[in-house]
Amino acid sequence: MENNPKGRVLVAMSGGIDSSVAAVLLHEQGYEVVGMTMKTWDYASAGGSKKETGCCSLDSINDARQIAVDLGFPHYIIDIREEFGDFVINNFTDEYLAGRTPNPCVLCNTHIKWDALLRRADQLGCQFIATGHYAQVRQGADSGRFIVSKGLDDNKDQSYALWGVSQASLSRTLFPLGQMRKTEIYDEARRRGFTALVNKPESYEICFIPDNDYRGFLRRRVPGLEARVAGGRFVDKKGVELGRHEGYPFYTIGQRKGLGIALGFPAYVTEIRPDTNEVVLGNYDDLASTATVVGQLNPGKYATLEGHGLVPAVVKVRYNHDGAPAFLEEVGGKIHVYFEEPVHAITPGQAAVFYEGDDVLGGGWIERHVIGEAPVPFAHAAAPVA
């Protein structure tokens, strides 16, 4: 192919409307596009009963390839099931067995997809990689750091899932949909005659659990698990037994439905104790936390917050969380988060992402939370990081 002044870009194409339109837009903007679909998981190998759907299905791979054929750019399929399974699936299982609730999509972005794409980009002579995420990235004029910020469409913003992407990876990443709304994506697809994409249902499940039954997945993945953990105790926060449960890995913080126990009030899972196979139940107020500790950090807008005292931010503690005002204090490679108001159902194993306006300050994995009064007075304001 002839050299292109815009550059050559490897586009991750799942076969869905977002990544397909991202590839189309880059092609029309003058980039030399190469499409790539990643095969991450073979659901049939896990013994699931539901037909394979989503980004790993044959239909989705064919849909992605058809876009490339229609527009005349090359398309490749890469099999990363082994590296995906070894890391993401094992982590998913290990986290539940440790009493935490994992976020495999963030982990996959951080450790698998970007690395896999960049390796293939180098092999194919691509300067850039691109995805269909609703997010934006820019280079700070003063710091030179690459900064992820929220996508224009608040309802589709995916910046939360990108906090772990490294600076080196961000320096070569394009997000063509960052300045667009979902309605515009549908319009762009219709305008170009891609009606199959417009009518295609979106998938919101974890790619390797298309039936959304993580408990069944764990039972199939870990032989003997059910017998090993059955008969654990439901207890209250004082340790008083309330009943028996199916096993601690089958419950998550904040869960209310499917507990199989009636206490005369709406009961929620407030704590999971893997060492004793106990699941603590309480009321909604018992889920409230005033602070949390976040580790395994990846800095975003600033290289570090250490030495800056209490830094104001908005913190999201799960993907669909609106975010809560807080102060951040970096101490010994961990971020201590102090919330203005109590936040409910903070869950170890999930990601906490810190925002300054629309910009991602950084993020990490929630290690523990604090019940009761916050350790520092929130009224003491701190200046933004210089």
Side-chain angles (χ1 to χ4, degrees):
M1 291 185 181
E2 297 179 0
N3 290 332
N4 191 302
K6 280 257 187 177
R8 199 174 201 208
V9 56
L10 182 65
V11 183
M13 299 181 68
S14 67
I17 189 170
D18 293 329
S19 61
S20 298
V21 170
V24 171
L25 292 176
L26 289 170
H27 176 75
E28 293 178 353
Q29 290 166 14
Y31 287 92
E32 186 179 331
V33 171
V34 178
M36 183 161 285
T37 302
M38 291 178 280
K39 178 74 173 175
T40 58
W41 182 250
D42 179 7
Y43 186 60
S45 68
S49 58
K50 184 177 177 180
K51 181 182 177 182
E52 187 176 30
T53 60
C55 61
C56 295
S57 71
L58 182 60
D59 287 344
S60 292
I61 292 171
N62 287 336
D63 289 344
R65 170 159 286 177
Q66 189 59 52
I67 294 288
V69 170
D70 290 345
L71 296 179
F73 60 79
H75 174 266
Y76 299 92
I77 301 166
I78 59 171
D79 188 338
I80 61 170
R81 284 176 292 180
E82 185 174 345
E83 52 198 294
F84 179 91
D86 287 347
F87 194 85
V88 177
I89 303 294
N90 289 349
N91 174 271
F92 182 86
T93 304
D94 292 345
E95 285 290 276
Y96 271 113
L97 295 182
R100 296 185 289 267
T101 304
N103 191 319
C105 297
V106 171
L107 198 70
C108 182
N109 282 341
T110 304
H111 293 283
I112 301 297
K113 284 189 176 179
W114 255 258
D115 287 348
L117 283 170
L118 285 169
R119 283 198 302 274
R120 275 69 177 194
D122 289 340
Q123 294 168 2
L124 294 168
C126 296
Q127 297 98 320
F128 305 107
I129 62 173
T131 73
H133 284 90
Y134 290 82
Q136 302 180 67
V137 62
R138 72 181 192 280
Q139 188 171 21
D142 297 326
S143 68
R145 292 184 63 79
F146 289 87
I147 303 164
V148 173
S149 58
K150 292 180 180 180
L152 178 68
D153 191 333
D154 289 336
N155 294 322
K156 297 298 294 182
D157 169 53
Q158 292 171 300
S159 58
Y160 172 90
L162 301 170
W163 65 266
V165 181
S166 71
Q167 286 288 298
S169 296
L170 289 174
S171 71
R172 298 175 63 184
T173 298
L174 304 176
F175 294 125
L177 310 188
Q179 283 287 331
M180 301 179 71
R181 301 188 184 279
K182 185 71 176 189
T183 52
E184 295 177 86
I185 303 303
Y186 282 117
D187 290 342
E188 295 290 342
R190 289 190 191 96
R191 190 175 299 123
R192 290 161 178 80
F194 298 134
T195 54
L197 290 176
V198 174
N199 297 324
K200 189 175 185 178
E202 293 193 75
S203 175
Y204 296 98
E205 299 92 358
I206 296 170
C207 68
F208 54 90
I209 310 181
D211 60 4
N212 216 23
D213 178 16
Y214 88 88
R215 296 169 183 84
F217 180 84
L218 289 178
R219 290 184 176 103
R220 295 188 297 271
R221 184 76 180 176
V222 186
L225 175 63
E226 198 163 13
R228 193 171 93 201
V229 300
R233 301 195 310 154
F234 280 127
V235 298
D236 66 16
K237 59 186 175 183
K238 295 180 180 179
V240 176
E241 183 173 331
L242 303 172
R244 293 282 170 168
H245 60 68
E246 297 179 13
Y248 74 87
F250 306 132
Y251 302 89
T252 58
I253 300 295
Q255 180 180 338
R256 177 183 154 190
K257 296 182 179 179
L259 298 179
I261 187 172
L263 299 176
F265 63 89
Y268 297 83
V269 175
T270 62
E271 186 183 351
I272 295 170
R273 298 172 178 170
D275 292 341
T276 57
N277 196 11
E278 292 178 322
V279 175
V280 183
L281 302 181
N283 58 38
Y284 184 69
D285 289 340
D286 292 328
L287 286 170
S289 302
T290 52
T292 188
V293 177
V294 181
Q296 301 178 62
L297 306 174
N298 187 51
K301 188 173 184 178
Y302 307 112
T304 182
L305 299 182
E306 194 145 16
H308 291 279
L310 299 178
V311 178
V314 170
V315 179
K316 294 183 67 169
V317 297
R318 66 187 68 88
Y319 184 83
N320 59 357
H321 185 215
D322 290 336
F327 278 134
L328 312 178
E329 183 179 25
E330 185 169 349
V331 181
K334 298 182 187 294
I335 293 286
H336 295 245
V337 181
Y338 309 112
F339 292 103
E340 180 177 9
E341 299 289 343
V343 173
H344 288 76
I346 295 177
T347 305
Q350 290 287 290
V353 182
F354 323 124
Y355 290 86
E356 182 180 75
D358 288 339
D359 295 339
V360 174
L361 288 175
W365 299 105
I366 296 170
E367 295 183 350
R368 57 188 173 88
H369 58 271
V370 177
I371 305 293
E373 293 300 318
V376 296
F378 193 87
H380 292 302
V385 179

